[in-house]
Amino acid sequence: MTSAAAADPTVGELSEAEVLAAVLAQLGPSAAELGPGDDAAVIAMPDGRVVATTDTLVHGPDFRLAWSSALELGWKSAAVNLADVAAMGARPVALLVALAMPDRTRLSFAVDLARGLRDACDTLAPGCRVEGGDLTASDTLTIAVTALGSLDGRAPVTRAGARPGDVVAIAGDLGRAARGLDVLFERFRDAAGTPVAVDPSLLCDDERAALRAQLRPAPPILLGVAAAAAGAKAMMDVSDGLLLDARRLAAASGVTLALRADTLGDDPDLALRGGEDHALLAVFPAGAALPEGFRVVGDVIAGGADRVLVDGTAPSGRGGWDPYRDWDAARG
Amino acid sequence: MTSAAAADPTVGELSEAEVLAAVLAQLGPSAAELGPGDDAAVIAMPDGRVVATTDTLVHGPDFRLAWSSALELGWKSAAVNLADVAAMGARPVALLVALAMPDRTRLSFAVDLARGLRDACDTLAPGCRVEGGDLTASDTLTIAVTALGSLDGRAPVTRAGARPGDVVAIAGDLGRAARGLDVLFERFRDAAGTPVAVDPSLLCDDERAALRAQLRPAPPILLGVAAAAAGAKAMMDVSDGLLLDARRLAAASGVTLALRADTLGDDPDLALRGGEDHALLAVFPAGAALPEGFRVVGDVIAGGADRVLVDGTAPSGRGGWDPYRDWDAARG
């Protein structure tokens, strides 16, 4: 064993308690009535309801270790779950993290991942903390996060409240995370197609921003509560591409969303079909003052044969992101 | 493709929506304010606090597919999480399930797993439901469950409240699940050590009961609330063996637990060291009327050099279950 390896053992060389202690040291003080260390955490939910969601990142379908650092993986696994809480109009208050790691994983990897989780919470949803979790051995690195949120007395903002005459708005990026994935697949694989480490010096500013949106997304978490307070009637997290997710919201509400291509940026097709942005799609009453950060992208009309129209025409295709289909089977 | 395979496609042959629909059909009606289908669930927490815990079953370290049916895996993944909620003195109200499956997994497997989750809830914690989840592709079958519970106005029962003079009690089996694991390893592997299917006709009643405790455990979930109501001062789920877990409770409380071997059944050593029983270890004030189902196993004394004594002597060894160490690396 080299001295570097001795200073950074694998988790398989340590006891669960030793790995846990190193991870907990990154998480900062608990903000809960009872934080990590007992059979379960106890977390305040002032209005007597809890908003709860879970989402998992799996090595292979969801990320490649040649492209994502442990810090980025921790950050992203928090961010995508915080976005689902925000999309209900709720304030994220706690994460629970089930981390399954191969025995060969370095302790420093687990520590950096924990720091990424905390950094994302501190930056995107101040006050939210990792309040519980689970460590397991697995052949496949898997990060299963559960996020809990508080509605603080407001009604949840579901997908079903949109009505004809409402306006459709977006907060956050569209298409940028997909552009980042394209950069990775096109520029950072070797001749055999295997992912290789990213060299940022090869990228222009725009490409670096796209990569960051893919690897370390910063969805507008605080705008979820702001939208609810401003009267949002329906809302959802755009994780699978605007076209597919807008169809879901429209179907749940029994309406059609009429979008305008000139509001969708330089590349409307990428904005419609690119996944993983975690923007907020929200529907407001006509005339509502939109919170800063939202932009109008269309109107709600009576439900027709097509759930989404762009400039009056139904876009072709399924129009979304599918983890089973849109990653190849390579590992890295 | 045979007609049997056509009638039972793999999840890789289906869309996420198709798998989800089949799984949801097994879960029964939601008991939540907002159940599966939106970005997050909304679940009532009458007293303004939520108890939250997560625990994961991973193919390999935690189960073998030759030994566990999908129904048993669903059941066990629910039961072990319900036990952690019960150990806080809380009433389980909802599960969130992140299920990561290889593409080759049959749809019927996912459906049976969902039915096992529901059956465990209906049997062990009536009123608790799967209210949310996540489906992902993975090379390694992984079931990450989060359980949420309500304290209904009571204080949480932590590990830290035991004091000298209190009595130590247990509800549920000790050592039986470990005995079941021994039966599997000793009787149901081929010459190469690979797990093979269980033939119940080869087993006596006692062995069948042990197998059931390992594969389909039935911890006394409802006794968690009963213990809290009866004044339990400290409590925990015995998942890693009584000796190791009792040491944890004693350390958290700053006391020593003095246990009596004659209360630990026919095989006290197995009762002390065998993991995965998910019995409840609880500490009550002297003279308290214990809820039916609890039996006294010792007393709390002032904290000494040893956190646990059995008949006045400190048992040797670490005395517990470690998933990193106690399963071999074989798959099946």
Side-chain angles (χ1 to χ4, degrees):
Chain A
M1 188 186 288
T2 68
S3 69
D8 186 13
T10 67
V11 299
E13 292 166 344
L14 300 170
S15 71
E16 186 179 356
E18 289 169 319
V19 179
L20 184 61
V23 165
L24 286 175
Q26 298 301 318
L27 299 180
S30 167
E33 180 173 328
L34 189 67
D38 216 296
D39 293 284
V42 181
I43 300 149
M45 290 294 151
D47 76 357
R49 295 170 297 176
V50 60
V51 172
T53 184
T54 186
D55 204 0
T56 307
L57 296 188
V58 178
H59 184 208
D62 296 317
F63 61 85
R64 308 295 163 90
L65 291 170
W67 291 338
S68 290
S69 71
L71 204 74
E72 288 166 339
L73 284 175
W75 176 290
K76 183 168 178 172
S77 64
V80 302
N81 278 281
L82 295 171
D84 279 323
V85 171
M88 303 304 291
R91 172 176 59 90
V93 295
L95 303 182
L96 290 90
V97 181
L99 177 57
M101 294 180 286
D103 280 353
R104 65 180 179 278
T105 308
R106 293 270 164 216
L107 180 62
S108 61
F109 187 93
V111 165
D112 285 351
L113 196 144
R115 201 164 75 240
L117 285 159
R118 180 177 177 185
D119 286 351
C121 288
D122 285 351
T123 305
L124 302 175
C128 183
R129 297 275 182 176
V130 177
E131 300 289 7
D134 178 44
L135 293 174
T136 333
S138 174
D139 287 344
T140 304
L141 177 63
T142 305
I143 313 158
V145 175
T146 296
L148 305 179
S150 171
L151 288 162
D152 297 330
R154 290 179 308 277
V157 184
T158 71
R159 300 176 181 183
R163 296 294 175 267
D166 295 338
V167 299
V168 182
I170 288 283
D173 294 330
L174 289 178
R176 186 171 275 184
R179 172 110 177 77
L181 195 60
D182 286 344
V183 168
L184 290 169
F185 269 90
E186 288 163 12
R187 307 275 294 277
F188 297 104
R189 292 194 296 170
D190 64 17
T194 304
V196 298
V198 172
D199 179 352
S201 74
L202 300 177
L203 299 174
C204 65
D205 285 354
D206 180 59
E207 290 166 334
R208 268 194 290 270
L211 217 60
R212 193 177 167 93
Q214 168 59 225
L215 299 177
R216 193 174 175 281
I221 304 303
L222 298 178
L223 288 181
V225 167
K233 298 170 69 179
M235 187 154 54
M236 75 181 289
D237 165 45
V238 183
S239 53
D240 295 335
L242 176 60
L243 181 53
L244 182 55
D245 284 333
R247 282 178 179 154
R248 290 170 173 156
L249 186 146
S253 292
V255 299
T256 287
L257 303 192
L259 308 180
R260 291 194 303 274
D262 65 1
T263 66
L264 299 178
D266 295 339
D267 189 340
D269 196 61
L270 189 66
L272 284 166
R273 297 173 195 277
E276 297 195 276
D277 279 308
H278 302 284
L280 288 174
L281 167 65
V283 170
F284 293 90
L290 268 51
E292 192 172 339
F294 276 96
R295 56 193 186 275
V296 173
V297 295
D299 302 286
V300 181
I301 62 176
D306 298 299
R307 289 297 176 193
V308 173
L309 302 175
V310 178
D311 292 344
T313 303
S316 62
R318 201 178 54 89
W321 164 259
D322 190 328
Y324 288 82
R325 196 198 56 178
D326 295 338
W327 282 86
D328 60 40
R331 295 288 178 271
Chain B
M1 186 186 288
T2 68
S3 69
D8 187 12
T10 68
V11 298
E13 293 167 343
L14 300 170
S15 71
E16 185 180 355
E18 289 169 321
V19 179
L20 184 61
V23 165
L24 287 176
Q26 298 301 318
L27 298 180
S30 167
E33 181 174 326
L34 189 67
D38 216 296
D39 293 284
V42 182
I43 300 148
M45 290 294 151
D47 76 357
R49 295 170 298 175
V50 61
V51 172
T53 184
T54 186
D55 206 358
T56 308
L57 297 189
V58 178
H59 183 210
D62 296 316
F63 62 85
R64 309 295 163 92
L65 291 170
W67 291 337
S68 289
S69 70
L71 204 74
E72 287 166 338
L73 285 175
W75 176 290
K76 183 168 179 173
S77 64
V80 301
N81 277 281
L82 295 170
D84 279 323
V85 170
M88 303 304 292
R91 171 176 60 88
V93 295
L95 302 182
L96 288 90
V97 181
L99 177 57
M101 294 179 286
D103 280 354
R104 65 181 179 276
T105 309
R106 293 271 164 216
L107 180 63
S108 61
F109 187 94
V111 165
D112 285 352
L113 196 145
R115 201 165 73 238
L117 284 159
R118 180 177 177 182
D119 285 352
C121 288
D122 286 351
T123 305
L124 303 175
C128 183
R129 297 275 181 175
V130 177
E131 299 289 7
D134 178 45
L135 293 173
T136 333
S138 174
D139 287 344
T140 305
L141 178 63
T142 305
I143 313 158
V145 175
T146 297
L148 304 179
S150 172
L151 288 161
D152 297 332
R154 290 181 308 277
V157 184
T158 72
R159 301 175 179 182
R163 297 293 175 267
D166 294 338
V167 300
V168 183
I170 287 283
D173 294 330
L174 289 177
R176 186 170 276 185
R179 171 110 175 78
L181 195 60
D182 286 344
V183 168
L184 289 170
F185 269 90
E186 288 163 12
R187 308 274 294 277
F188 297 105
R189 293 195 296 169
D190 64 18
T194 304
V196 298
V198 173
D199 179 352
S201 73
L202 300 177
L203 300 174
C204 66
D205 285 353
D206 180 58
E207 290 167 332
R208 266 194 291 270
L211 216 59
R212 193 177 167 91
Q214 167 59 223
L215 300 177
R216 195 174 174 279
I221 304 302
L222 299 177
L223 287 181
V225 167
K233 299 171 68 178
M235 186 155 54
M236 74 182 288
D237 165 46
V238 184
S239 53
D240 296 335
L242 177 60
L243 181 52
L244 182 56
D245 284 333
R247 282 178 178 154
R248 290 170 174 156
L249 186 145
S253 292
V255 299
T256 287
L257 303 191
L259 308 180
R260 291 193 302 274
D262 65 2
T263 66
L264 299 177
D266 295 340
D267 188 341
D269 197 60
L270 188 66
L272 284 166
R273 297 171 196 278
E276 298 194 277
D277 279 308
H278 302 284
L280 287 174
L281 167 65
V283 170
F284 295 90
L290 268 51
E292 191 172 339
F294 277 96
R295 56 194 186 274
V296 173
V297 296
D299 301 287
V300 181
I301 62 175
D306 298 299
R307 289 296 176 192
V308 173
L309 302 175
V310 178
D311 292 345
T313 303
S316 61
R318 201 177 55 88
W321 163 260
D322 189 327
Y324 288 83
R325 196 197 57 178
D326 295 338
W327 282 87
D328 61 41
R331 295 291 178 269

